Amino acid sequence: MRRFTLPRDIYHGEGALEALKDFQGKKAVVCVGGGSMKKFGFLDKAVEYLKSAGMEVRIIDGIEPDPSVETVMRGAAVMQEFQPDWIVAIGGGSPIDAAKAMWIKYEHPETTFEDMCKVFGLPKLRTKARFCAVSSTSGTATEVTAFSVITDYSKGIKYPLADFEITPDVAIVDPALAHTMPQKLVAHTGMDAMTHAVEAYVSTAATDYTDPLAMAAIKMIKRDLVASYDGNMEKRNSMHDAQCLAGMAFSNGLLGIVHSMAHKTGAAFADYGAHIIHGAANAMYLPKVIAFNAKNPAALKRYAEIADALSLGGSSDEEKLALLIGTLRQMNDALNIPQCIKNYGADSYPCENGFVPEAVFRERLHDIAVNAVADACTGSNPRPINADEMEKLLLCCYFDTEVDF
């Protein structure tokens, strides 16, 4: 038996934020990140709409990119004191992910972070509050997913939380919010969405329910992402819908080792002054993982289907595979994303010598590989992988060398 779960309501299109006016409740807490939602007036609008619905509103702000366990616990303490019956998270993936984890702790104060990390092992939610996610970036799709990513900085590891309990009750996908994204964020979130869709399509948990969503997203992202990056706001609107479709696909069809690797490398070199930004990591690793997975005949066939849907050409599955990999690499180039960790600068742009020294990468490689194999996303990858193979694959991602195993 399989399960397919989405938010009860998805409001989309320009002006969708106004749906908050019709919410019913007494108290709402609004979780938000840095400054963009305040700067562009969307936070004020959200609060105004909730107040017009008759609710008392409390704000939890300053949620950082790659939210920490400590941020989650602080926010949950505010919720426990305020006792909201609506949690509204507005912004990019970080405030929404953090708010999901806060929600767990609010409803079940005895739950530890370690408990939260048990895949599909969360207690029942909605005994105190319902959850609304309002996305401002076109990539994570956390507004429609059963996932959250929280960073334990003491270990330098990002942990995915996975359970249908944290699928939001309401998602608001208003493209006006996505117009605020800086160009670099458009690139990274867009390739995150592409990775979601491709991994969902080849996942061992893919179904007839998830395949159409994944394929539609792949086609839209290939068609619209680079133009959105170049400033076409019509394409920006389309990308906001495309990433949501990708999220619906992977929330139910799951992911693979591109995400396992991105989770475990993202904060692994923070002591060298930067993170490998999640979307950029996915963009760099996806072509290598496709080459690795394609040694599995069933996965090769699925990748060839993607190439056919994109009208890339090729007379054999192997030719189609090479064209798909080449297309993704061309997109990285057009979006100013490096092809490998060695060339990944501290500012995320391509450079000759990136911020992660080779010696440091090799020193930490084994532990990263072990952690990546143990990641929640590894189990649904179409080709099994062990720690030794993961080390070899990560080296290919560091040096941009051919995957021949």
Side-chain angles (χ1 to χ4, degrees):
M1 183 176 69
R2 299 285 182 89
R3 178 173 174 178
F4 186 86
T5 300
L6 297 175
R8 169 66 178 79
D9 292 297
I10 301 173
Y11 297 95
H12 58 96
E14 293 205 32
L17 189 63
E18 289 191 33
L20 294 172
K21 288 180 177 179
D22 299 323
F23 281 26
Q24 295 183 350
K26 295 179 179 178
K27 293 181 177 181
V29 67
V30 179
C31 301
V32 68
S36 65
M37 291 298 96
K38 295 178 186 177
K39 177 182 176 183
F40 293 102
F42 292 111
L43 175 60
D44 287 343
K45 280 186 179 180
V47 170
E48 177 190 333
Y49 292 151
L50 290 166
K51 286 182 175 178
S52 73
M55 287 192 237
E56 182 184 350
V57 180
R58 178 83 57 89
I59 295 172
I60 298 173
D61 59 3
I63 296 171
E64 74 275 32
D66 302 310
S68 67
V69 177
E70 291 74 21
T71 293
V72 168
M73 298 307 168
R74 283 196 298 270
V78 172
M79 292 181 187
Q80 286 162 11
E81 185 271 325
F82 184 60
Q83 293 289 304
D85 42 23
W86 272 105
I87 299 167
V88 178
I90 181 169
S94 294
I96 297 174
D97 280 4
K100 286 180 176 180
M102 293 172 192
W103 184 24
I104 300 166
K105 186 70 174 176
Y106 166 49
E107 297 226 1
H108 297 278
E110 74 286 354
T111 302
T112 65
F113 181 66
E114 289 71 23
D115 293 333
M116 294 182 194
C117 294
K118 295 173 183 173
V119 178
F120 294 97
L122 291 179
K124 289 288 182 185
L125 300 181
R126 296 166 182 81
T127 59
K128 295 181 180 179
R130 285 180 290 169
F131 193 99
C132 171
V134 187
S135 57
S136 68
T137 59
S138 302
T140 68
T142 189
E143 73 274 6
V144 293
T145 75
F147 297 92
S148 165
V149 178
I150 305 297
T151 302
D152 184 337
Y153 285 92
S154 68
K155 297 178 180 176
I157 294 176
K158 295 183 179 183
Y159 289 95
L161 314 185
D163 198 293
F164 288 119
E165 286 298 315
I166 58 172
T167 302
D169 298 283
V170 177
I172 294 177
V173 187
D174 189 330
L177 279 69
H179 292 182
T180 67
M181 287 192 294
Q183 191 180 42
K184 181 165 73 172
L185 190 59
V186 172
H188 294 165
T189 56
M191 288 307 291
D192 190 19
M194 177 64 94
T195 306
H196 291 156
V198 171
E199 289 209 292
Y201 193 75
V202 301
S203 162
T204 59
T207 68
D208 289 341
Y209 291 80
T210 60
D211 282 352
L213 294 165
M215 191 64 86
I218 291 167
K219 291 163 71 174
M220 291 171 72
I221 295 165
K222 171 61 175 67
R223 183 191 69 199
D224 296 333
L225 175 54
V226 174
S228 171
Y229 175 79
D230 289 336
N232 183 319
M233 289 303 164
E234 240 182 78
K235 300 296 189 180
R236 185 78 55 88
N237 293 356
S238 174
M239 277 299 303
H240 210 43
D241 289 332
Q243 64 87 32
C244 189
L245 295 174
M248 295 181 204
F250 90 78
S251 186
N252 293 278
L254 305 182
L255 293 166
I257 58 172
V258 179
H259 273 77
S260 303
M261 295 157 67
H263 291 151
K264 292 344 184 203
T265 54
F269 308 100
D271 53 329
Y272 280 78
H275 281 206
I276 301 175
I277 296 171
H278 180 72
N282 284 337
M284 292 189 294
Y285 306 161
L286 180 58
K288 302 302 183 191
V289 169
I290 288 174
F292 174 82
N293 285 342
K295 305 295 191 295
N296 174 300
L300 174 61
K301 181 176 181 295
R302 299 287 273 180
Y303 290 129
E305 289 172 2
I306 293 173
D308 285 341
L310 297 179
S311 301
L312 299 183
S315 57
S316 68
D317 285 351
E318 288 75 15
E319 286 182 8
K320 294 172 184 179
L321 176 77
L323 288 165
L324 175 61
I325 290 171
T327 295
L328 293 167
R329 289 176 64 90
Q330 288 167 11
M331 291 180 71
N332 287 347
D333 286 339
L335 298 167
N336 210 15
I337 295 174
Q339 299 291 357
C340 64
I341 299 170
K342 181 177 182 290
N343 300 133
Y344 184 94
D347 58 1
S348 83
Y349 291 123
C351 64
E352 187 173 348
N353 293 300
F355 84 96
V356 182
E358 179 184 341
V360 173
F361 185 81
R362 288 186 180 277
E363 178 187 329
R364 301 181 186 182
L365 176 60
H366 177 74
D367 288 346
I368 292 171
V370 169
N371 289 330
V373 170
D375 187 89
C377 295
T378 300
S380 47
N381 194 68
R383 181 184 171 191
I385 189 167
N386 59 37
D388 288 342
E389 290 167 331
M390 182 64 80
E391 284 191 36
K392 291 168 70 176
L393 187 55
L394 284 162
L395 283 169
C396 291
C397 292
Y398 185 87
F399 291 107
D400 191 20
T401 49
E402 184 180 353
V403 179
D404 59 0
F405 56 94

